[in-house]
Amino acid sequence: MALVTGAARRLGRHIARALARAGADVAIHYHSAEDGAAQTQRELQLLGVRAEIFQADLANTGEITDLFVRLHESFGGLDILINSAALFNRVPVLEITPAEWDRVLNLNLRAAFFCSQEAVRSMKRRGAGSIINIADIAAFQPWPAYAHHSISKAGLVMLTRVLARALAPEIRVNAIAPGPVLPPDDLSEAQRAELAELTALNRLGAPEDVTSAVLFLIGAGYVTGETLVVDGGKLLRG
Ligand SMILES: NC(=O)c1ccc[n+]([C@@H]2O[C@H](COP(=O)([O-])OP(=O)(O)OC[C@H]3O[C@@H](n4cnc5c(N)ncnc54)[C@H](OP(=O)(O)O)[C@@H]3O)[C@@H](O)[C@H]2O)c1
């Protein structure tokens, strides 16, 4: 079974759906989007798998511990963890307060580490597991308007590499760095077209571009510590 964080909407929901289509039971994590989580659950149940909902503020490590207690009570353990929940806040460097820094880093980086730590305890008991961190091409490209986001995602790429070494051979840890796949909902058509032009493939990605990478990494038994860039060649363009 798989836990997907931030599965109540957007990419997280697409990933949960793809895992369910592949036959996995899914723990749907959400923070505030209760209705969205219920919608994800209904969609997954229609696919014939078990789908349960778990609420938690992952910026709070106590809530991470509690989430995994509930998850173990309900499912007895897990095989796959997808760390997808994240914040993407546009804040100029000089306006990033310590509280804003903590908000982003605590979710995007610290939560991924402590969710992995909790997940690994049961994966080790089962003798196998796969962790996939959803990073961002901002890990490789400095985005001045999103400095703390870029830094958190660069950290996530190294977290992936360090955990891959620490947890081998039973557990594989990989990441995906999407480019523009699901831009913010309030982007105009013109802004979407501008974003598409920045890619070598001259289009925005589709959620399926990310979900197929997730399924690939789950099945790729000889791949660990890797970050798969899924960006239509945006990094190639600089
Ligand atoms: N969309 C893209 O094109 C794109 C591109 C590159 C990378 N990515 C990465 O892909 C992942 C998903 O992206 P997205 O655009 O679908 O994300 P999104 O719409 O911004 O969703 C963020 C998720 O994070 C959860 N969240 C926020 N604060 C939380 C907290 N304190 N504790 C627990 N969960 C919290 C939200 O849960 P609730 O809604 O329940 O509050 C939501 O499901 C992210 O890691 C993002 O950085 C996305």
Side-chain angles (χ1 to χ4, degrees):
M1 67 80 49
L3 165 63
V4 183
T5 69
R9 57 197 178 99
R10 289 171 49 88
L11 265 188
R13 177 186 281 163
H14 281 280
I15 293 169
R17 204 187 286 133
L19 290 169
R21 277 209 188 95
D25 292 333
V26 180
I28 299 159
H29 158 267
Y30 79 98
H31 174 234
S32 58
E34 191 176 356
D35 291 348
Q39 174 65 28
T40 305
Q41 184 184 38
R42 280 191 294 276
E43 288 183 23
L44 269 50
Q45 285 170 339
L46 284 175
L47 292 167
V49 301
R50 192 171 155 210
E52 303 288 342
I53 296 175
F54 298 86
Q55 194 280 333
D57 178 354
L58 300 180
N60 177 332
T61 47
E63 294 201 21
I64 293 178
T65 308
D66 179 64
L67 162 68
F68 278 85
V69 169
R70 286 181 282 138
L71 187 138
H72 284 123
E73 280 169 6
S74 183
F75 283 97
L78 86 166
D79 311 292
I80 296 165
L81 167 65
I82 313 288
N83 285 311
S84 179
L87 288 173
F88 182 56
N89 295 350
R90 183 185 177 94
V91 187
V93 167
L94 295 184
E95 290 171 27
I96 296 176
T97 60
E100 169 63 19
W101 172 274
D102 286 349
R103 243 190 314 277
V104 170
L105 272 288
N106 285 353
L107 182 62
N108 296 14
L109 186 55
R110 193 177 70 168
F113 179 84
F114 287 102
C115 283
S116 300
Q117 197 184 61
E118 291 287 348
V120 160
R121 296 188 212 285
S122 76
M123 288 174 177
K124 285 248 179 217
R125 277 197 297 278
R126 293 179 171 210
S130 175
I131 298 174
I132 298 179
N133 298 312
I134 308 300
D136 192 314
I137 53 169
F140 305 111
Q141 211 172 35
W143 292 359
Y146 298 85
H148 52 344
H149 175 80
S150 278
I151 293 163
S152 72
K153 294 295 189 176
L156 193 58
V157 168
M158 181 49 79
L159 180 154
T160 301
R161 290 161 57 80
V162 169
L163 290 189
R165 276 197 76 176
L167 303 174
E170 298 99 329
I171 296 161
R172 293 182 301 109
V173 187
N174 291 291
I176 294 167
V181 173
L182 277 179
D185 296 333
D186 57 2
L187 228 56
S188 67
E189 274 311 310
Q191 287 170 316
R192 294 170 70 87
E194 257 172 50
L195 209 50
E197 269 172 32
L198 295 175
T199 69
L201 299 183
N202 210 18
R203 67 169 176 90
L204 296 181
E208 291 68 28
D209 293 315
V210 174
T211 58
S212 60
V214 168
L215 296 180
F216 164 75
L217 287 173
I218 288 170
Y222 203 47
V223 178
T224 195
E226 200 54 56
T227 297
L228 186 51
V229 173
V230 179
D231 73 339
K234 183 165 187 288
L235 282 183
L236 296 175
R237 299 279 307 266

